[in-house]
Amino acid sequence: MLEVIVQNRQEAVEAEKLGADRVELVSAIQEGGLTPSFGTLKQVLGSVSIPVQVMIRPHSYDFHYTAEDMEVVREDVQAVLDLGGNGIVFGALNRDYTVNEQALTDIINMAIGLDITFHRAFDEADSQEKAYRTLAKYKLDVKRILTSGGENDCVHGKEQLGRLVRLSKQLEGPAIMPGGGLSSENIRNVHQTVGAHEYHFGKAVRINRSFRSGFDQEIIQQVKGTMETGK
């Protein structure tokens, strides 16, 4: 499965047309991705038929959220639900860099059937194995974990990603979705080591590798071909 980052309706429609299986909708990509506006959210959810995972991130300072931050988070999740969406991208850590289970359960309790991607806050966890085992308890709602294996990119984190994929199979928990630095040039090497079933791409599938530009159809087809055949 190929997931790509989009920032607006035009990009989401284009991504679906070019064969993306799912999109992650964000704003402020230069800050790593924040919660999109209500207007953008409404436009995108009403324009595509593929799944839309909406980034829920109130600020880019860190992944530690105050009670006030969580009030904003809950309001944003409710907006997604009110517009007919059910997919969100969220992650929160305690001050000791363990998974913030209270923040997670607060969101899970808002609606039955939420589809949650726990994002790259996971890469800052004190122990990825421990964090995975914690998230596995919520596998009915936390469907996948976006991670680069704790490294700056998936190439350097591929061995750890492979270990996490094996752990996910052992525990039958959330899927591991490699993301961070993936490109048409390295996806084959990463995929052969990691063996995941879904991958997350950003600017590497864009024209001139820029979020200012649209998608590069040829590169997307290359990526999809590699993912499907491993070649």
Side-chain angles (χ1 to χ4, degrees):
M1 177 171 278
L2 171 63
E3 178 181 283
V4 299
I5 296 171
V6 299
Q7 304 166 100
N8 52 51
R9 175 172 60 185
Q10 180 182 348
E11 292 182 358
V13 170
E14 183 183 11
E16 181 175 32
K17 181 180 178 181
L18 294 178
D21 301 296
R22 185 173 61 226
V23 296
E24 178 191 66
L25 177 63
V26 309
S27 68
I29 190 61
Q30 69 276 11
E31 294 188 53
L34 299 179
T35 307
S37 71
F38 182 87
T40 299
L41 177 59
K42 183 177 181 180
Q43 287 187 344
V44 171
L45 287 176
S47 301
V48 296
S49 58
I50 58 176
V52 178
Q53 295 295 116
V54 181
M55 177 63 74
I56 303 293
R57 189 178 176 211
H59 60 70
S60 61
Y61 308 125
D62 51 41
F63 299 113
H64 310 302
Y65 298 135
T66 64
E68 289 75 17
D69 289 333
M70 286 304 300
E71 287 182 18
V72 173
V73 165
R74 286 190 291 272
E75 290 283 352
D76 288 335
V77 173
Q78 190 60 54
V80 174
L81 296 170
D82 290 345
L83 289 170
N86 76 323
I88 63 170
V89 183
F90 177 75
L93 301 176
N94 296 309
R95 289 292 176 181
D96 62 356
Y97 293 91
T98 56
V99 172
N100 186 335
E101 294 185 70
Q102 184 60 60
L104 192 58
T105 54
D106 281 354
I107 291 176
I108 289 173
N109 289 337
M110 290 183 66
I112 296 173
L114 266 179
D115 183 324
I116 300 173
T117 300
F118 194 93
H119 61 46
R120 290 186 66 189
F122 186 79
D123 288 322
E124 296 188 12
D126 65 331
S127 163
Q128 289 201 321
E129 179 177 338
K130 180 180 176 182
Y132 185 88
R133 291 180 181 277
T134 297
L135 292 172
K137 296 187 295 183
Y138 305 96
K139 62 185 179 182
L140 294 180
D141 299 280
V142 179
K143 305 296 187 183
R144 70 198 62 82
I145 300 168
L146 174 62
T147 173
S148 59
E151 301 291 343
N152 288 332
D153 57 61
C154 292
V155 173
H156 290 92
K158 64 181 181 179
E159 299 298 335
Q160 172 65 359
L161 287 168
R163 287 189 286 269
L164 289 168
V165 167
R166 291 190 290 275
L167 181 62
S168 72
K169 292 177 179 178
Q170 175 190 336
L171 299 181
E172 299 182 344
I176 295 298
M177 178 170 62
L182 287 177
S183 69
S184 58
E185 292 85 7
N186 63 35
I187 180 60
R188 179 187 180 195
N189 178 267
V190 171
H191 181 51
Q192 288 180 338
T193 300
V194 178
H197 294 292
E198 45 193 287
Y199 292 88
H200 174 91
F201 281 77
K203 63 183 179 182
V205 292
R206 301 278 184 142
I207 297 169
N208 298 324
R209 298 195 176 210
S210 171
F211 280 111
R212 290 178 177 269
S213 306
F215 293 100
D216 187 313
Q217 181 175 358
E218 183 177 346
I219 290 179
I220 285 185
Q221 293 310 310
Q222 288 176 2
V223 168
K224 285 184 68 69
T226 300
M227 289 169 57
E228 290 169 0
T229 65
K231 299 179 180 179

